[in-house]
């Protein structure tokens, strides 16, 4: 089932990457979600954000930068996505603010020390493994934003321990179709 959602999401992102009108329509879906996530994590221009999972059209990264002025790095493990995503970022005149790389979320070669916020896309698989690796490598005080699906769609996405999320503040996304909530986890101690 996750493959169907991934394919549909890729198709929408692909269209949005190629057509400005579709980009502007599709980006509306994320605007309220991003505003709430910025408020939840108190993201400012001085933050350095890592978005894990960007797809063909990195809506979240673009909107995070546009709303806060923060520098954003996007990683995605699909090498076909990066050239399209770079073209979108370039078309919007944001190349100096948003950097894109083809890497796995668990990538050991990616330095985590520069990031103050790490944003996890809804479709990251396997989310627990990626989260554990990132959490181990970020500095204390780093804010990790983890999107989770609506309850009725939870069987379509990779599972994440409810024990982990129980201690986290979260926000609900009533208007979003698939994103149910975003959790804020703050790294407390050095590994």
């Amino acid at each position: 089932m996750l493959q169907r959602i991934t394919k549909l999401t890729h198709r929408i992102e692909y269209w949005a990457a190629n057509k400005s009108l579709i980009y502007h329509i599709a980006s509306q879906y994320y605007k309220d979600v991003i505003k709430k996530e910025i408020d939840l994590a108190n993201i400012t221009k001085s933050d350095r954000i890592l978005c894990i999972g960007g797809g063909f059209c990195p809506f979240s990264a673009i909107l995070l930068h546009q709303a806060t002025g923060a520098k954003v790095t996007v990683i995605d493990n699909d090498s076909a996505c990066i050239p399209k995503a770079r073209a979108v970022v370039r078309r919007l005149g944001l190349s100096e603010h948003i950097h894109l790389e083809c890497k796995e979320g668990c990538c050991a070669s990616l330095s985590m020390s520069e990031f103050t916020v790490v944003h996890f896309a809804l479709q990251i698989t396997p989310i627990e493994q990626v989260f554990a690796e990132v959490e181990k490598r970020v500095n204390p005080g780093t804010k990790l934003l983890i999107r989770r699906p609506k309850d009725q769609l939870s069987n379509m996405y990779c599972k994440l321990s409810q024990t982990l999320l129980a201690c986290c503040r979260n926000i609900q996304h009533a208007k979003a179709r698939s994103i149910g909530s975003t959790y804020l986890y703050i790294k407390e101690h050095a590994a």
Side-chain angles (χ1 to χ4, degrees):
M1 195 55 122
L2 179 61
Q3 286 183 336
R4 278 193 214 154
I5 288 178
T6 301
K7 285 181 182 180
L8 176 61
T9 301
H10 269 37
R11 186 170 291 141
I12 292 167
E13 289 175 352
Y14 186 84
W15 293 332
N18 289 309
K19 302 286 184 194
S20 293
L21 178 61
I22 295 173
Y23 168 82
H24 289 292
I25 292 168
S27 69
Q28 298 304 309
Y29 173 82
Y30 292 97
K31 283 190 175 182
D32 186 55
V33 171
I34 292 295
K35 181 186 179 317
K36 288 180 176 182
E37 291 173 343
I38 289 168
D39 292 344
L40 177 66
N42 193 28
I43 300 172
T44 68
K45 183 177 183 160
S46 63
D47 281 304
R48 274 291 277 127
I49 303 169
L50 172 65
C51 289
I52 302 177
F56 287 113
C57 193
F59 292 110
S60 295
I62 291 166
L63 294 170
L64 281 165
H65 167 72
Q66 288 175 331
T68 66
K71 296 260 186 195
V72 182
T73 297
V74 180
I75 60 172
D76 198 291
N77 64 359
D78 185 344
S79 60
C81 291
I82 300 302
K84 284 270 185 209
R86 281 188 183 130
V88 172
V89 168
R90 193 171 32 256
R91 185 176 74 226
L92 294 171
L94 300 174
S95 296
E96 68 184 69
H97 306 287
I98 300 173
H99 175 73
L100 296 112
E101 295 182 46
C102 184
K103 292 189 182 292
E104 293 286 335
C106 297
C107 180
S109 69
L110 182 66
S111 171
M112 294 287 181
S113 62
E114 68 185 274
F115 300 108
T116 57
V117 177
V118 180
H119 187 279
F120 292 79
L122 185 58
Q123 295 178 351
I124 294 174
T125 304
I127 185 72
E128 285 203 358
Q129 179 184 346
V130 174
F131 176 85
E133 184 62 29
V134 169
E135 195 274 340
K136 182 171 51 176
R137 294 176 48 226
V138 296
N139 292 330
T142 301
K143 302 167 192 173
L144 285 68
L145 288 167
I146 307 128
R147 285 185 180 163
R148 300 309 304 143
K150 290 194 173 193
D151 288 341
Q152 63 269 35
L153 300 175
S154 63
N155 64 338
M156 297 178 178
Y157 291 90
C158 196
K159 302 290 183 224
L160 184 62
S161 169
Q162 290 302 323
T163 305
L164 168 73
L165 299 177
C167 66
C168 300
R169 285 188 352 201
N170 69 83
I171 49 166
Q172 301 299 309
H173 302 293
K175 295 179 185 177
R177 298 276 187 245
S178 59
I179 305 168
S181 55
T182 301
Y183 287 81
L184 173 62
Y185 176 96
I186 301 175
K187 168 84 175 257
E188 290 186 12
H189 307 288

